[in-house]
Amino acid sequence: MKGVRHYPGFLAITLGCLFILYAPLAVVAVYSFNDSPSITQWGGLSLRWYVDVFTGPESARFGQAAWNSLTIAFMAATTATAIATAAALAMIRGGPFRGKQASFALINLPLMVPEIVIAVATLIFFSTIGLTTGYLTILLAHITFCIPFAYLPLAARLQGIEGTYEQAARDLYATRWQGFRLILLPLMMPGLISGWLLAFIISLDDFIITNFVKGAGMETLPTAIFGSVKQGIKPNIMAISTLMLLVSIAFVTLSYLVNRKGRPVA
Amino acid sequence: MTTPAPQSDTDAAYAPVARRLLIPTWITIGILMVLPVALMAIYSFLTKEFRGGVIWDFTLDAYDQFFITRGLFGDEPAQIEWTYITIFWRSIWQAGLATILCLAIGFPTAWFIATRPAHTRGIWLFLITIPYWVNLLIRTVSLKFLIRDNGPLNESLMSIGLITDPLPLVNTNLAVQLGLFYSYLPFMVLPIYAAVERYNFTLSEAAADLYASRFATLREIVLPVVKPGIIAGCILVFVPSLGAFLAPDLLGGAKTFMIGSLIDEQFKGSQGNWPFGAAASMILMTLVMIVLLLYARAQTKGGAR
């Protein structure tokens, strides 16, 4: 039984794969605790670069960038999740209707068009309608490309919920809105949260599109880090990277737990 | 489940309002993505302005500049301009090699994970997907930090005496491929995993009973069955690699210039050429659409599910 599943060397490749994936992150995390201002020499353990991130000469710039990143990600993820929820209801519970195929293609469009093309097109669009690039243009662009990422976990979740629960509510004279708010929404919650978290991370992660539509003087964390890295990798960048790494891991763990907790209900 | 279940009333509870529910999606993606791409198509036929903008005069200049050269002073007979075609060709080549690298590592990994007991699979998958959630820029910078000339990789290889001089990895094609591999590996593992998980292992047992070797079984039985997963994985890696910007920009040098950097340059400052950048984007998008259409056709042809 076990024989046909086993191929020699596959375990080694898997472990090698994990090593390649984690080694660079681990190395940067370790070096972020380096006491030396040089990135090559090891000068003992220290938290000085973490202190530097919050109080050092670049702290104001990175602080502002982090604030922009987090507020944009929060608003973009929330708006995209709301749009995606409505879309998922129509696509999964809407039965057949004209334009369904086209709607499906439209929802997935941001995943199919290469990022750099979206960046170029969005910049040209804002420039043509005369909207000054800045916070608002970043937010609008982020809402758009976050929609499919919020949609996917939501639609998957909704597919797993039987329609009979809501049917029961409607048999008891609940309106469609009451059925949605009191029955379907709580059942959809794990998918909603996963979708929101995914959209939040995707927004926080984006560099290319943001870089095109941010305008002069406006920075998000990735564009600020990119600007610094162009002049060489400095220890404070490694400390920021490690902090962002922790945020990402916290988010993905949260999403995993929410999904797992939600599963037995379906 | 070969035929879809009959539409019952409970599955279509939102039918009366379905199209109204889609209005926000249509407005957002329609105005902020479809319209911009259409506008970009128009821009690629406009005349460039020297301060980095456009003049609304229709011309084929941008495409002409891309494909055709008439010498330095524009008075020689028209010839094919190879500069940009070479950049595109190099990008296709780099993305292709990165895809092969992802497949070579991703397939055994996906297979290994899919053959674990059900309760540990989730943990393995989780470990593979975590890096994907980490900021791409940070991952790329971390990789650069690790493999640079006097970085930890070279230092440790030198200290154990495996090499005497640092391996010049940064600014090479290999670094770019490694960067692309590092960026998109989970996209290869996940679809293959899904395909292997559905694979009926009794097929392998039947082959083994008939004295097929392990690798004959893999080649003749397993690969054809899980092929849709492999193709999906290859597309998911190849397409974003083609237009990638961070990996070639940070890990590569002038010799590894790819489409992403070429387009990026056209929109930076007064040196830019917006119509040319729009034209290069159109050509990139056309390439991607061709790949996706071929994929869709192959799926409908072989997908008698």
Side-chain angles (χ1 to χ4, degrees):
Chain A
M1 273 298 275
K2 200 180 169 207
V4 294
R5 290 157 193 258
H6 178 77
Y7 280 86
F10 279 20
L11 169 65
I13 294 175
T14 306
L15 294 179
C17 177
L18 287 175
F19 179 76
I20 297 173
L21 287 178
Y22 285 93
L25 299 173
V27 165
V28 164
V30 167
Y31 271 82
S32 70
F33 293 104
N34 186 0
D35 193 33
S36 155
S38 143
I39 55 165
T40 27
Q41 235 105 68
W42 180 255
L45 275 176
S46 143
L47 285 173
R48 64 181 281 197
W49 299 114
Y50 288 90
V51 176
D52 185 86
V53 167
F54 293 103
T55 59
E58 287 192 295
S59 61
R61 183 166 151 263
F62 280 119
Q64 184 60 46
W67 174 252
N68 292 339
S69 268
L70 291 172
T71 50
I72 287 171
F74 183 85
M75 287 190 278
T78 308
T79 315
T81 308
I83 295 173
T85 308
L89 284 176
M91 297 302 288
I92 311 289
R93 291 288 161 87
F97 56 90
R98 248 185 73 210
K100 194 169 184 174
Q101 290 278 328
S103 302
F104 187 73
L106 201 68
I107 293 166
N108 286 299
L109 191 66
L111 297 178
M112 316 238 247
V113 182
E115 250 195 304
I116 188 113
V117 175
I118 297 179
V120 167
T122 315
L123 172 65
I124 288 176
F125 174 70
F126 288 140
S127 145
T128 307
I129 62 167
L131 198 56
T132 317
T133 47
Y135 192 91
L136 180 67
T137 52
I138 300 177
L139 180 61
L140 288 173
H142 279 219
I143 289 172
T144 313
F145 69 70
C146 280
I147 290 174
F149 290 99
Y151 176 83
L152 291 174
L154 257 167
R157 176 76 194 174
L158 193 55
Q159 237 149 10
I161 302 170
E162 280 179 51
T164 42
Y165 299 112
E166 256 186 300
Q167 186 65 44
R170 300 195 54 191
D171 287 348
L172 297 166
Y173 300 104
T175 61
R176 183 183 289 118
W177 169 244
Q178 283 173 323
F180 170 72
R181 197 166 51 90
L182 299 172
I183 310 294
L184 196 55
L185 194 61
L187 285 171
M188 277 171 77
M189 208 35 100
L192 204 77
I193 294 172
S194 305
W196 189 89
L197 290 172
L198 186 56
F200 188 90
I201 284 282
I202 293 292
S203 164
L204 209 58
D205 188 69
D206 181 71
F207 170 75
I208 299 177
I209 296 171
T210 311
N211 193 36
F212 267 73
V213 300
K214 74 186 175 64
M218 177 72 196
E219 301 280 4
T220 63
L221 260 186
T223 65
I225 292 174
F226 185 79
S228 290
V229 165
K230 274 283 163 185
Q231 279 124 45
I233 305 173
K234 280 173 286 175
N236 62 338
I237 295 295
M238 290 194 263
I240 293 181
S241 299
T242 309
L243 290 173
M244 286 185 76
L245 182 73
L246 289 178
V247 171
S248 303
I249 291 177
F251 264 79
V252 64
T253 311
L254 204 62
S255 162
Y256 178 77
L257 292 177
V258 165
N259 250 333
R260 213 177 51 168
K261 194 167 165 242
R263 210 164 286 157
V265 184
Chain B
M1 286 274 274
T2 44
T3 50
Q7 279 294 337
S8 71
D9 194 35
T10 53
D11 288 335
Y14 291 85
V17 289
R19 293 165 86 176
R20 248 180 291 161
L21 284 169
L22 282 164
I23 291 173
T25 311
W26 279 88
I27 290 179
T28 316
I29 299 184
I31 294 180
L32 291 167
M33 194 156 293
V34 178
L35 194 62
V37 169
L39 204 58
M40 182 182 78
I42 297 173
Y43 256 64
S44 71
F45 294 105
L46 297 181
T47 309
K48 84 159 183 175
E49 199 197 22
F50 286 99
R51 284 171 291 126
V54 287
I55 304 164
W56 284 78
D57 275 332
F58 284 90
T59 160
L60 281 170
D61 275 1
Y63 291 96
D64 187 274
Q65 183 190 346
F66 192 96
F67 289 112
I68 295 163
T69 176
R70 293 184 181 79
L72 197 55
F73 302 102
D75 52 1
E76 290 166 37
Q79 279 181 314
I80 296 178
E81 166 71 275
W82 289 106
T83 317
Y84 306 113
I85 297 174
T86 309
I87 292 173
F88 267 64
W89 178 244
R90 184 190 298 136
S91 303
I92 294 172
W93 181 243
Q94 295 275 44
L97 284 177
T99 309
I100 292 170
L101 196 61
C102 279
L103 182 60
I105 308 265
F107 181 81
T109 305
W111 178 276
F112 177 80
I113 295 174
T115 52
R116 290 308 92 199
H119 62 278
T120 56
R121 274 179 220 164
I123 304 291
W124 284 100
L125 274 184
F126 187 56
L127 284 174
I128 291 283
T129 40
I130 284 182
Y132 169 67
W133 291 71
V134 175
N135 196 297
L136 180 60
L137 173 64
I138 287 177
R139 277 188 287 156
T140 312
V141 170
S142 303
L143 187 63
K144 183 174 187 174
F145 179 76
L146 180 67
I147 65 173
R148 80 208 140 86
D149 286 358
N150 44 7
L153 179 71
N154 274 316
E155 297 273 307
S156 50
L157 284 179
M158 274 171 11
S159 70
I160 58 170
L162 219 57
I163 51 171
T164 48
D165 296 308
L167 295 170
L169 282 170
V170 171
N171 298 347
T172 62
N173 285 328
L174 185 66
V176 176
Q177 283 147 25
L178 205 60
L180 293 174
F181 162 79
Y182 191 41
S183 305
Y184 304 119
L185 179 72
F187 291 162
M188 181 66 84
V189 175
L190 295 178
I192 298 181
Y193 164 80
V196 174
E197 204 194 19
R198 282 197 308 267
Y199 175 69
N200 184 352
F201 283 95
T202 51
L203 291 176
S204 287
E205 279 158 28
D209 288 346
L210 298 166
Y211 300 104
S213 74
R214 235 186 264 287
F215 286 94
T217 311
L218 185 68
R219 204 177 54 235
E220 304 290 335
I221 314 284
V222 175
L223 286 182
V225 173
V226 301
K227 205 169 96 186
I230 293 177
I231 294 176
C234 289
I235 301 245
L236 287 177
V237 173
F238 183 78
V239 166
S241 296
L242 200 56
F245 171 73
L246 284 175
D249 191 76
L250 288 171
L251 297 164
K255 270 189 267 172
T256 58
F257 204 73
M258 280 174 64
I259 304 174
S261 310
L262 174 71
I263 294 175
D264 183 67
E265 266 191 358
Q266 309 307 320
F267 293 90
K268 290 286 126 79
S270 54
Q271 299 293 311
N273 182 344
W274 286 33
F276 183 70
S281 303
M282 287 300 294
I283 296 167
L284 170 62
M285 199 170 71
T286 312
L287 278 178
V288 168
M289 289 303 148
I290 289 172
V291 173
L292 291 178
L293 278 178
L294 286 177
Y295 172 62
R297 255 187 60 187
Q299 257 207 334
T300 44
K301 231 193 316 183
R305 289 195 300 150

